Amino acid sequence: IVLAALFAIAVTLLVNSDRFRPQLARAMGTALGRDVAIGRISLSVLSGSAVVTDLSIGDDPMFGKTPFVTAKSVRVGVALLPLVTSKHLRIESLRLQEPHLTLRRSPSGAWNFSTLGAGSSSAPAGSATASNLTLSVDRLAITGGQVVIESTAARGSGAAYENLAIDVRDFSASSQFRVAGRVTTPGGGTLKVNGHAGPVTAAGIGSMPFEAAIDGAGVDVRRGGLVDAAAGLGGIVDLHLGIASTGTRIAASGTLRGDKLQLVPGAAPALEPIEFAYASDYDLST
């Protein structure tokens, strides 16, 4: 107990955690390929973590200057011994609490998240490119998040997905990592994903290989904002899909059950539920 107390006092006296704010912002910006701004950093010695306030991650410039992600607080797991002995800040985990993400799609069909991480894979693993700051993330988590998918026709409004939870384990830009997620869709449905992704390519996560199982229940196609309203698609679907991407092509197969389906613009919804098997092969470049 005495040793722990002395260690806590030493950290408090020897380390001004807020001095690492520019380093952390630069390291995160380098890893994400985006401008990153953060507020203050406060260190909790007993939990071995730091709290970063007012995180803002910039959008792809072609989509404007509105932030891609904002979060009032981010809990950062830190290695305390290097912090005291060598004044180096090593990040072990990141937990975004109640972040707000805005997804935008260009008229050509490109998404603003597709270039996230662009160029990060070119840095060697374990490198200290931001003032001797090493970044190894054993776990990256999002809790209580909100995702807004903006309409291509009307900026500033869109479909809101609530209660976003994402858990990424053993994250590295240069190797495969595990990912699991869950979100509540507009209208009260749910989507779950579980799989593997990586490595991140030089073009960003939009070209990243991945394979995953996706399960959905009560997903409202029209309110979800994933398809253009002019396509005339509608209905409430339950789905179980397996998806695999090479980074250039996405193959998907599984089963869907649709209620009140509408597959043709201007048509009336189907009167009976429809169940069918589904398979597609999608070329990302076109």
Side-chain angles (χ1 to χ4, degrees):
I1 293 175
V2 172
L3 287 175
L6 290 175
F7 183 70
I9 294 172
V11 171
T12 303
L13 295 177
L14 296 176
V15 177
N16 174 15
S17 56
D18 198 54
R19 69 187 288 266
F20 294 100
R21 178 159 51 93
Q23 294 175 263
L24 181 59
R26 285 196 298 269
M28 293 179 67
T30 299
L32 296 172
R34 302 282 178 88
D35 292 332
V36 173
I38 58 178
R40 293 188 59 82
I41 301 177
S42 58
L43 181 65
S44 172
V45 176
L46 295 180
S47 64
S49 64
V51 176
V52 177
T53 61
D54 298 324
L55 170 71
S56 175
I57 300 174
D59 208 345
D60 186 316
M62 69 175 292
F63 291 90
K65 297 182 179 180
T66 305
F68 168 63
V69 176
T70 58
K72 290 189 176 181
S73 66
V74 181
R75 187 167 294 276
V76 185
V78 297
L80 290 179
L81 190 58
L83 195 61
V84 174
T85 59
S86 59
K87 298 294 182 69
H88 284 188
L89 177 61
R90 189 175 78 243
I91 306 302
E92 296 177 333
S93 64
L94 291 169
R95 183 184 295 273
L96 278 71
Q97 298 173 316
E98 300 182 6
H100 179 90
L101 295 81
T102 303
L103 303 186
R104 303 180 177 98
R105 185 171 48 187
S106 71
S108 64
W111 289 91
N112 64 337
F113 64 80
S114 62
T115 57
L116 196 67
S120 63
S121 62
S122 60
S127 63
T129 57
S131 304
N132 295 324
L133 179 63
T134 58
L135 185 65
S136 64
V137 183
D138 296 329
R139 185 180 184 188
L140 189 155
I142 292 176
T143 57
Q146 182 191 60
V147 180
V148 173
I149 300 179
E150 285 193 347
S151 167
T152 54
R155 295 294 296 270
S157 62
Y161 290 67
E162 306 289 347
N163 305 315
L164 173 68
I166 295 178
D167 188 14
V168 177
R169 300 298 180 103
D170 305 319
F171 174 79
S172 170
S174 59
S175 62
Q176 194 178 65
F177 49 88
R178 294 177 293 166
V179 58
R182 176 189 175 95
V183 70
T184 302
T185 64
T190 58
L191 279 174
K192 299 179 183 179
V193 60
N194 200 320
H196 293 81
V200 179
T201 70
I205 66 172
S207 302
M208 177 178 63
F210 69 86
E211 57 182 48
I214 297 180
D215 292 281
V219 178
D220 191 317
V221 174
R222 192 184 306 279
R223 295 177 62 181
L226 294 174
V227 296
D228 196 312
L233 299 177
I236 309 296
V237 298
D238 299 335
L239 56 94
H240 176 72
L241 299 177
I243 297 182
S245 172
T246 63
T248 57
R249 301 188 73 88
I250 296 179
S253 62
T255 58
L256 293 92
R257 182 185 188 276
D259 191 19
K260 299 179 181 179
L261 281 183
Q262 179 184 342
L263 303 179
V264 179
L271 299 178
E272 297 293 337
I274 300 172
E275 295 188 17
F276 52 94
Y278 165 86
S280 73
D281 186 55
Y282 186 80
D283 190 330
L284 288 171
S285 64
T286 59

